[in-house]
Amino acid sequence: ALHDALKMLDIPVVEVHLSNVYKRESFRQTSFVSPVVHGTIAGFGGHGYILALDALRALIDDKE
């Protein structure tokens, strides 16, 4: 459901994971939303949200 909802959006979307999912269990390495987002940030803890905001700003500026 989340994948379908994100796919309908006409705005940039960035997926954020606090931990590095690729250093964790294999089932955590499969994302159902990655195919419909502009990018993924993982492993930077809370700082990932700041990185995502910077990325979103750049994506929006590129659109204008």
Side-chain angles (χ1 to χ4, degrees):
L2 187 55
H3 173 276
D4 293 339
L6 292 172
K7 190 175 180 178
M8 292 174 32
L9 294 177
D10 190 29
I11 59 172
V13 178
V14 175
E15 178 181 14
V16 177
H17 296 275
L18 298 177
S19 65
N20 183 349
V21 294
Y22 299 103
K23 292 177 88 174
R24 300 186 66 193
E25 302 90 348
S26 61
F27 73 90
R28 298 187 191 277
Q29 298 174 13
T30 302
S31 171
F32 295 101
V33 298
S34 287
V36 294
V37 299
H38 287 80
T40 301
I41 297 171
F44 291 98
H47 189 68
Y49 292 112
I50 295 169
L51 296 171
L53 289 172
D54 288 341
L56 289 169
R57 184 180 319 129
L59 289 167
I60 291 168
D61 286 347
D62 287 347
K63 265 184 127 175
E64 294 176 356

